[in-house]
Amino acid sequence: MQYMYTADIPKTARTQLAIYGDDTTILTRASQPWLVTQLLQEAVDDLENWFRKWLIKVNPEKSTAILIKGRKKGTHDGMISMNQRDIPWRREIKYLAVTIDDRLTFILQVN
């Protein structure tokens, strides 16, 4: 059995981490898409350093980003990168067997 101790995992005042098994989610909230991107990148940078310290390998190709905007129009602003690889922005993602779209309609999940 393997254990992962996360008591010292980096946290910031403007982001939250949700860890379930080996899935880690970074959540943030801001009124401007560029600020969302900036806050997420800062959190990813802190996590990268923590992963490096504890010799944890992360596959950035399994990572995705989504900007949940509800009824607002607009799109993400900039890229988030991990290990010198851009994390793709998606209009929908699957997380813990739930399909989430960028407007939180859950239509794809219900269908």
Side-chain angles (χ1 to χ4, degrees):
M1 183 175 284
Q2 296 179 355
Y3 295 95
M4 183 170 165
Y5 298 98
T6 60
D8 66 339
I9 200 162
K11 297 170 185 69
T12 67
R14 300 283 312 262
T15 59
Q16 295 178 347
L17 287 177
I19 302 171
Y20 184 81
D22 63 349
D23 292 332
T24 303
T25 302
I26 305 170
L27 306 166
T28 192
R29 184 179 193 161
S31 60
Q32 300 296 323
W34 67 267
L35 184 54
V36 169
T37 303
Q38 178 182 327
L39 293 170
L40 289 175
Q41 185 62 61
E42 289 171 6
V44 168
D45 292 343
D46 290 346
L47 279 174
E48 274 186 292
N49 291 331
W50 187 81
F51 291 141
R52 205 173 296 114
K53 174 184 176 183
W54 292 106
L55 304 175
I56 298 170
K57 293 203 180 246
V58 176
N59 185 354
E61 293 181 14
K62 291 185 175 183
S63 299
T64 58
I66 186 169
L67 177 67
I68 297 175
K69 54 192 174 231
R71 294 183 182 181
K72 294 180 183 177
K73 296 194 188 250
T75 185
H76 62 85
D77 188 7
M79 293 302 292
I80 302 165
S81 64
M82 177 185 284
N83 299 333
Q84 290 92 32
R85 293 185 183 200
D86 288 341
I87 296 173
W89 289 93
R90 303 273 189 240
R91 292 193 55 135
E92 67 257 350
I93 61 168
K94 193 164 207 155
Y95 182 67
L96 300 177
V98 176
T99 303
I100 302 168
D101 64 272
D102 62 352
R103 297 200 182 269
L104 286 181
T105 64
F106 293 98
I107 291 171
L108 295 170
Q109 178 68 27
V110 173
N111 289 339

